[in-house]
Structure formats: C-alpha cells, structure tokens
Amino acid sequence: MEDPIKRRNRGPTWPLDSRIESLRGPPSQSDRFQRFCLALRGLPIGPINGPKNTLGHFKSQMLAPQRKALPIASVASRIVEEVKNNDTLIIVGETGSGKTTQLPQFLFDAGLCSDGKVIGITQPRRVAAVSVAKRVAEECGVELGQRVGYSIRFDDVTSNSTRIKYMTDGLLLREALLDPFLSRYCVIIIDEAHERTVHTDVLLGLLKNVQNARSKYATTEYDHSKKDSLSEKGCNGLRQTKLLTCQDTKLAPLKLVIMSASLDARVFSRYFGGAKAVHVQGRLYPVEILYTYHPEPDYVDAALITIFQIHLNECSGDVLVFLTGQEEIEFVERRIKEGTDQLPDEKKNVVVVPIYSSLPSEQQMKVFKPAPSGFRKVILATNVAETSVTIPGIKYVVDPGLVKVRCYNPVTGVESLIVIPTSKAQALQRSGRAGREGPGKCFRLYPESEFAKLRDSIIPEIKRCNISNVVLQLRALGIKDILGFDFIDKPPRMAVVKSLEQLLLLGALTKDYELSDPVGYQMAQIPLDPLYSKALILAREFNCLEEMLIVVAMLSVESIFYIPHEKLEKAKVAMRCFSSPEGDHTTLINVYRASKEVLDKSRAAGGDEKMAERGLSKWCKENFINKRSLKHARDVHSQVHGYVKQMGFAVTSCGDDMLQFRRCLAASFFLNVALRQPDGTFRALGSNQTVRIHPSSVLFRSKAECVIFNELVRTNQNYLRNVTSVDPLWLPELAPHYFSLREP
Ligand code: CDP
Ligand code: MG
C-alpha cells in the first residue's frame, strides 16, 4: 500500500539516539530512560508556548459551527439521498470527517425514524460507543439516554424515546438473539468495519439475512401460525416461537450502512452484491513522518524518550502515544510522572491521560477534556485511538508500530495475546491522527526500511481467535451449518470444529449439535466467555454462586494487582495478606471482599460516597491493588449479578467450605487442567504443552500437583495465570465425559 503522507514528507530521523549519545554515551537498554531523565536536569531549556485548548464544554449551539465545518456536512443531503435510494450503502471516509457523529443525525433529521424506529450504530469498542453518544447528545442538545443513547455490555443508557443508539457490535449481536429481525431498527450502521472484529464479521452475515428476510416480509402480512417460519429461512432467533409473537407483523425493509476508514471498500461492496460505495473526502493536513536510524531494542524506553523530546523541543500541541495494553500504559504513565518531576518547574506542564478499552467509561472520558491552560496533554492509548475515537488537539503521534492482538491456535486450543507489528493501513491511520487540525508530526519508532515489510492490512479477527462464543451465538440464532454461514471471510475449519467440540464438552450443545436445554440457552444468555457462563451455571449447583460471580468479575478485567518493579518486595508483603494457599481464585475473592469491607465500613460510619471512594483509593494504594481494575470488576460483578438473578438463580455462598468451591472450579474449568511433571514443569492436558506457573501466581513456588487455570500466556515460555490447585481424583468424578480413570 502506498503511503501518501510518506511520499509527501520523506522525513529526517529525529535525535532519538543522537541526543542520548551526546549526553551520556552509547544507548543501552533498560536504564536508558533513567539516564535521559538525569540528563534532562542539566538541559538548557528554551521557552515553550503553552498549548491552546481546543475543546471546552460547548453546548449544542456552540458546537453547531464545528459540525458545519466537518467534511461530511457539505455532502449531507447527498448522503441521505444515497441511503434512501440504496438498501446497502458503503461509506468510506477519513477519520474525523464526521461519519460517526453526523450521519445518524442527518438520517434522523431526514425523518428516517418517523415511525418510532431506531437508528443503530455499532462500534467495535465500548469506549467509542460511549464517547460518541455523549458527544452527539451534546450536539443535539438533549440529555444522554433520551433521543441519543448508548448500550454496551453491562451499561445501558437508552430509553423508549431513544432514536439514535450507539452500541458495541457484540451487543447488537446479542439483541439479535432476542429480536431476530431487529425489528426496532430502521437503519443499522456498522461503523469501523475495516477493523474486521469477529462481531462485525458475524453481524455483516446476520444482517444480510435479516435484510433479505425483512424485504421479503415487508409487503406481506406474516402469519405466525404458519409452519413456514422465518427461522427455517435462515433468519432465526432464540426460542423462535416465543419471539415471533413479539414481532411486528409488518416489517419495513432494513437499511444498512457500512462505514469504514479504509479506502478499500471493494471487499464490502462485493460481499453485499455490488453495493454502492461513496467516499467522503476528509481534511488531512500534512504529517511529517520520522523514523529511527536503527531498530529500537526497547520500544517503551524509546517512546518515553521521544515523549520528552517532543515536550522539550517541539511547539505546543498534544501528544498521542500508541502502546499495547493497560499494564504498559500504566508503566509509561508512572515513568512520565517521574520524569516530569525532574524537570524545572516551568517545564512541569504535562498531563498524562490513559485510554484503553477496559478503562471504566468515566475515566475514558478524561481523554477528551482539554489540558489545563498552558499544559501539554500526553495521551497513552491502545489502538482504540487509531480510528474509533477522535481526540482533539493532537499534533504529535508516537508510534512504536506494535499492536496487541488475540491469537488462537485451534490445534493446541491455546489462545494468547501477542504483540505484533501493525499493518501499513494501521500505521497510516495512526500518523493521520496528528494531522486533523493542522500540520503534525508522527514519530515511528522503527527504521524506514521496516515500513515496507509491514503487511498491507490486518488479518480479520475471525481468522485468528477462539470462536466458541460466536459459534454458541450462531447456534442460539438457529444457524446450524456454521461453516456454511455466509461469512465475509470464513474462520478456519479447525477453529469451528474445536469450538463445536468445546461447546459439546461444556454441555452447551447436545450430541446432535443442537443447543441444549436449559444449559445451552442459559449460556447463550450470559454475555461472557462460554467457560465463564458455564462456571456460573455450575456454581448454582455447588452452592457457591456468590464466590463464582466474584471470580468471573475479577477475571474479566486486566490485572487486579499493580506491582511496581521498584516496590516488588513491599508489594509482595502486601499481597500476602490476601494470598490463599489454594490458589489465585480464592485470593481474588479475598481481595474483592476486603475492598467491599473498606467501602461498607466507610458507609456505615456515615461517610458519603465520595469519602468511601477516597478511602478505597487509599486502601488500594497501600495494598498494591489496581483501583481502575477493581472498579471495573465491581461494575462487571453488579451487571452479571443482575443477569443471573434475572435467570432466576439464587446467589448463595459456600461460606468457609473452600473445598466445595475448588470442586466447582474443577468442574467448570476441566478443559484447562495442568499436571506437574517430574522436572517441576507442568503439562497442560488439553494442548499437551509444557507450561509453568506464572511468577505472579500465589502458587508460583507451591508444590501443587494438579491445577486448573484460566489463562495460558505465551511470552518467552508458556505461563499459566489464575491458577488453583485441585485434586486430580476429582476430575473423573466431575467431568467423567472428559476424563476416565485409566486402568492400572
Ligand atoms: O467518524 P469520523 O472519524 O469520520 O468522525 P467523528 O467521530 O464523527 O468525529 C467528527 C468530529 O467530531 C471530530 O473531528 C471531533 O472534532 C468531534 N468529536 C469530538 O469532539 N468528541 C467526540 N467524542 C467525537 C467527535
Ligand atoms: Mg468514526
């Protein structure tokens, strides 16, 4: 793929290495940033203009001129016409041109929801759904949750009057389970389609079916008593008979809009039978691309140095740094703060804001707030900021050229998160973030020669992830032939086979691969990984649903413990208060309960919520707990608690009977069992791989013979995380269909 920005600006290499060399001799790896900070103290620092604030709390009228200036505004009426004239329309436009925020408003204003129907817009990420909904509500001058709302897993801010509804693609997929014709929607906009998430890909297939079915039945009254139901025509729903009665008898045709930031719309157009594609010309200022002289041995270190070089040498403007995950972001956040402390007072004008998908929504919103006057904002983001969210004020982009992706090996059944180079399209998107409001600079932390070696675009997620959840949902939608489903890109046959096998072993499917009743239906209703939903269902039988709810919530968030390298020993002592000899699952329960006690105590003492939260923050700090993760886990807990209550499950506790709880863990996670080998390593039974217990686990140095685990991470070797010891003799008893006792 051609890189127009690069063609325009054959960039010089910035003084990343030369600066260090001139200050302190040749660069070494890990302590390079430390030395850089020391060097900063003696640096002659020139004046720097404070960055200007680009976004304030504008209300509707104040935002109107901004809206009018967006590239999409000039073609509004043409786009509305195209949507009216085409059942399926593909819109391609550069990030920031106004697709996500404006198009739904144009369609609403043009009267497309006049019959009380809803315009649904899907996003691959929660953060985008929430932030855009808030912005659009502001632009419309309405309260969020009224005309404009959002719905994401564990958080629904919509009402009967909602007409423009932002949601995650996964959520719409779940809605299809309950309303197979998506009868509430008149238009569905699949946004960020170029990201090709599993949910987007599955939705595209499903929507194609729904669209066909709705056009077919649009003109004829549908007779529910007829045997010839839509379910048999390939557009199905969970418990079809019950659901069909909720359907309108007359359904208007469904309009589809596929939006993508990638210029290659052909793949979508072809998939939708030659659907029309239109291009919204964006406004992009020139972005100077700079590469390093040499490959960087430590990109985090290189990123830190670059951030400070920008802060000290470049004129005003915010910095967007692409990192690979929460832990890395938090590490860099701390190092920037430490580095800033060493700067002279007049240079301490830096605010750091993180943004990544698992960050609680209200924290994510901080990224959109302008920095205080005279300050420079440094945004540390995962690829969420590539296209999904438009953050104003960015002039500099730091791009190490890496992205963390989920990768699944269907042969071994091992799913791992791995860090891989970005594609050219992603690199281009990232650099484009710097040129939204004026000329910018993008610092790619790799040599120019590496760019040519990048693949053109990303591999669709469906080709590289565990699709058990998708298969379960498709089965719940009544789709029998998974491999025959009209995917835009088919998942590997082996992945489908493995998923079916896993669902069969979990009891979600019957021997005939039908959804089992009630387990399969129940599992399909809980928006969690099938292993976790099964664990909740089993926990009810084992009388430990209270404990399992906590575990599932705590396992759904990134690392609960936050262990700074320099305070490792102190953190370990603090962690010991929660450690449970049985393993990490009970340890997580201890943490959750202890945090709840802190909150409850503060409330009982008459403190208000703010005081309780402050108390919790202090407690988290003292105990090396990641407050953000804990807060997120509390949210997930309360939502999943709601789900299981709705399903009529009684939430009971096994009390001190941890044996019972561990038996339940064994019954739930029997697919993830590892046995100790004579050499001290473990062998994961499912994948037959040699693994070790991760040093962060409470069982790291234990003598456990047999463990269940929830995560197999691959770094330099295979590590098990979230591990609990179980008795191997339980396995044939609790999962006889999987383990049979071998005859001696
Ligand atoms: O979808 P697309 O990338 O084409 O653009 P958009 O998300 O609709 O954003 C259009 C403009 O709205 C951006 O350039 C931002 O100036 C503004 N915006 C914002 O200020 N805050 C948001 N949460 C979203 C958008
Ligand atoms: Mg957008």
Side-chain angles (χ1 to χ4, degrees), residues 55 70 94-101 131-132 135 368 390 436:
L55 189 80
L70 286 171
E94 275 92 42
T95 307
S97 51
K99 301 181 298 298
T100 312
T101 51
S131 68
V132 173
R135 166 78 180 192
F368 300 101
T390 312
R436 278 278 304 121

Side-chain angles (χ1 to χ4, degrees), residues 9 14 18 68 123 148 211 278 324 353 397 425 469 534 547 557 566 641 643 649 663 708:
N9 303 291
W14 79 101
S18 56
K68 280 210 186 96
Q123 299 288 323
V148 183
Q211 204 178 32
V278 294
T324 64
V353 278
V397 166
N469 210 359
K534 181 64 192 295
E547 283 76 13
V557 301
E566 59 283 10
H641 190 269
Y643 277 107
F649 288 15
R663 281 173 60 80
I708 55 98

Side-chain angles (χ1 to χ4, degrees), residues 52-56 58 66 135 317-320 353 365-371 377 379 389-395 433 436-437:
K52 46 175 207 273
N53 288 327
T54 42
L55 189 80
F58 301 113
Q66 265 189 38
R135 166 78 180 192
D318 296 341
V319 187
L320 171 61
V353 278
M365 291 307 127
K366 286 188 188 155
V367 86
F368 300 101
K369 277 199 193 140
K377 183 162 73 172
I379 300 140
V389 295
T390 312
I391 305 161
I394 293 161
K395 194 172 169 64
R433 304 301 85 233
R436 278 278 304 121
E437 289 162 17

